[in-house]
């Protein structure tokens, strides 16, 4: 029997966990990533060391692979489209296009009947002043593209003078001002759609961020049944609207009355779904591999309550503590250098 190969664009920890899941289902994995010996390549069959949009590298990848997927949302859309002309690429490049620009993303969510924060496009200091005035002086200013983990953001909490030069301070790039959402908690849903159109969603996780970076995901989330139902329903509508294949992560703000406001989507496996590897028989990583390879989706049932904690920077020194805890699954990412805030690993503790 010849083993088939799955291509993964991006060599970080998400690619690493996808490669491990692929191997368990008898797939070979090849990683396209410019940084040699990246976390994903350490556990994969081979690596193409090249830029994500290198035409020769994309052709080489397509020639080896039954299907190509990606582990981060900033894969250049043109590269994904070039590749899609050569071999199947899942999730579809359209999902990258929607997720890469916060303005496009919000408009797309709204077109699916999914509520978001109110927003204005901001392309100048004057736009910013008008937009802030419309929101009573409060709002969250974000770069439209390439922001992650709270980077490229500025929060305005009270009506007052709009800081002169705020637009320039953000780099004079296209921005979006969102209304400041007074949420009670944050949750996310990890859902998957197969090549046959089947959809499966995991239980919503309750997420706590520190300095804009995910700190913990806890299951079950403290939300009512209706709110959980609505979150899964929104994810399903989005997957169908995008004709999506693979796992998607969708983050929401939960208001005091249980109403949901979608914050952002990630067309990939998601940090707030890492708990699934310990608390479900089929993890989000296996689910994604099943989906893109055209295999039947697995059961997303959660068998345990749990809490997933990210190990950032020096938290890696806590590993001996976690290894001594019963029911704690430690997962490390093969990164030699522990810079502050860098995701080094995570641990999921089963609670009951
Ligand atoms: P993001 O990069 O959009 O995921 O934002 C990072 C974090 O900033 C979110 O998880 C929230 O905690 C907070 N945040 C982002 N947008 C808003 C908003 N419009 N209103 C209130 N808090 C926000």
């Amino acid at each position: 029997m010849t083993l088939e190969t799955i291509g993964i664009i991006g060599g970080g920890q998400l690619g690493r966990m996808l490669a491990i899941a692929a191997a368990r289902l008898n797939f070979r994995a090849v990683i396209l990533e410019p940084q040699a010996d990246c976390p994903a390549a350490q556990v994969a069959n081979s690596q193409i060391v090249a830029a994500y949009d290198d035409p020769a590298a994309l052709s080489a990848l397509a020639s080896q692979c039954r299907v190509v997927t990606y582990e981060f949302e900033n894969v250049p859309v043109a590269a994904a489209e070039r590749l899609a002309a050569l071999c199947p690429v899942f999730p579809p490049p359209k999902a990258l296009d929607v997720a890469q620009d916060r303005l496009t993303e919000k408009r797309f969510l709204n077109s699916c009947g999914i509520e978001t924060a109110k927003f204005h496009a901001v392309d100048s200091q004057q736009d910013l002043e008008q937009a802030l005035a419309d929101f009573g002086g409060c709002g969250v200013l974000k770069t439209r593209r390439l922001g992650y983990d709270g980077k490229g953001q500025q929060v305005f909490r009270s009506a007052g003078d709009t800081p002169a030069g705020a637009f320039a301070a953000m780099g004079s790039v296209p921005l979006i001002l969102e209304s400041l959402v007074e949420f009670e908690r944050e949750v996310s849903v990890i859902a998957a759609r197969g090549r046959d159109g089947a959809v499966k969603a995991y239980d919503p996780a309750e997420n706590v961020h520190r300095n804009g970076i995910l700190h913990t995901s806890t299951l079950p989330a403290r939300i009512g049944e209706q709110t959980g139902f609505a979150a899964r329903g929104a994810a399903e509508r989005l997957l169908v609207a995008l004709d999506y294949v693979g796992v998607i992560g969708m983050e929401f703000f939960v208001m005091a009355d249980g109403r949901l406001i979608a914050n952002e989507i990630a067309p990939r496996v998601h940090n707030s779904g890492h708990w699934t590897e310990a608390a479900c028989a089929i993890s989000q990583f296996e689910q994604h591999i099943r989906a893109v390879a055209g295999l039947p989706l697995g059961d997303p049932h959660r068998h345990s309550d749990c809490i997933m904690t990210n190990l950032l920077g020096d938290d890696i020194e806590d590993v001996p503590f976690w290894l001594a805890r019963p029911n704690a699954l430690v997962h490390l990412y093969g990164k030699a250098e522990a810079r502050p805030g860098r995701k080094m690993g995570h641990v999921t503790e089963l609670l009951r």
Side-chain angles (χ1 to χ4, degrees):
M1 187 177 113
T2 331
L3 298 187
E4 289 178 318
T5 302
I6 295 181
I8 301 172
I9 305 179
Q13 64 270 13
L14 300 178
R16 178 184 178 96
M17 292 184 268
L18 286 171
I20 293 169
R24 289 179 50 220
L25 290 177
N26 252 0
F27 292 106
R28 298 170 59 84
V30 49
I31 311 296
L32 172 62
E33 161 66 43
Q35 187 209 318
D37 192 38
C38 57
Q42 292 168 14
V43 301
N45 297 83
S46 62
Q47 178 179 5
I48 299 173
V49 181
Y52 308 123
D53 57 356
D54 180 312
L58 292 170
S59 298
L61 188 65
S63 69
Q64 293 177 42
C65 296
R66 161 176 168 171
V67 59
V68 174
T69 187
Y70 43 86
E71 60 117 45
F72 73 116
E73 61 271 40
N74 287 316
V75 173
V77 176
E81 282 171 345
R82 173 190 277 264
L83 199 58
L86 304 172
C87 75
V89 175
F90 297 123
K94 161 102 176 146
L96 288 172
D97 192 40
V98 168
Q100 282 177 3
D101 182 325
R102 291 185 190 272
L103 188 65
T104 315
E105 181 181 55
K106 285 207 167 36
R107 286 181 175 150
F108 193 83
L109 287 166
N110 292 166
S111 77
C112 299
I114 298 168
E115 187 178 352
T116 61
K118 296 193 190 71
F119 57 92
H120 287 294
V122 169
D123 292 309
S124 66
Q125 179 70 21
Q126 192 189 359
D127 284 354
L128 175 60
E129 285 167 19
Q130 279 173 359
L132 268 174
D134 189 46
F135 294 156
C138 301
V140 183
L141 186 64
K142 302 181 180 179
T143 52
R144 276 173 58 178
R145 306 181 75 90
L146 296 174
Y148 68 97
D149 285 346
K151 292 190 172 61
Q153 300 195 11
Q154 197 176 337
V155 182
F156 301 94
R157 290 200 180 274
S158 60
D161 291 344
T162 310
F167 180 73
M170 296 276 286
S172 298
V173 293
L175 304 175
I176 184 171
L177 184 77
E178 300 178 8
S179 58
L180 188 62
V181 180
E182 301 292 348
F183 56 83
E184 195 174 64
R185 59 188 91 250
E186 294 185 80
V187 299
S188 59
V189 168
I190 308 299
R193 186 164 178 269
R195 281 166 80 159
D196 59 358
V199 171
K200 306 262 184 197
Y202 291 95
D203 282 354
E206 180 169 338
N207 301 321
V208 173
H209 294 85
R210 279 192 189 163
N211 303 320
I213 305 177
L214 183 67
H215 173 50
T216 55
S217 294
T218 303
L219 279 289
R222 290 167 295 165
I223 54 174
E225 207 176 316
Q226 279 306 316
T227 303
F229 190 71
R232 290 159 187 259
E236 177 158 0
R237 281 208 299 289
L238 184 68
L239 289 172
V240 171
L242 287 167
D243 196 16
Y244 196 90
V245 173
V247 163
I248 203 165
M250 196 170 177
E251 296 182 82
F252 298 91
F253 303 128
V254 186
M255 308 305 283
D257 64 1
R259 191 163 55 99
L260 287 170
I261 294 186
N263 177 30
E264 63 178 3
I265 59 173
R268 53 170 169 78
V269 287
H270 196 256
N271 194 168
S272 69
H274 290 0
W275 62 271
T276 58
E277 73 183 336
C280 302
I282 309 298
S283 73
Q284 63 165 345
F285 306 103
E286 176 168 339
Q287 195 76 303
H288 186 77
I289 294 297
R290 285 180 177 225
V292 302
L295 300 176
L297 295 184
D299 181 1
H301 169 71
R302 175 173 61 82
H303 56 67
S304 302
D305 293 353
C306 64
I307 176 164
M308 187 285 311
T309 305
N310 268 338
L311 303 177
L312 304 179
D314 289 345
D315 293 347
I316 191 80
E317 286 164 22
D318 299 339
V319 165
F321 163 83
W322 288 113
L323 290 176
R325 299 273 294 180
N327 297 318
L329 182 77
V330 176
H331 200 143
L332 305 177
Y333 303 155
K335 299 180 184 176
E337 197 192 337
R339 293 192 292 273
R342 189 174 196 207
K343 290 176 178 168
M344 303 300 292
H346 67 268
V347 51
T348 305
E349 201 173 7
L350 298 181
L351 302 175
R352 68 177 171 85

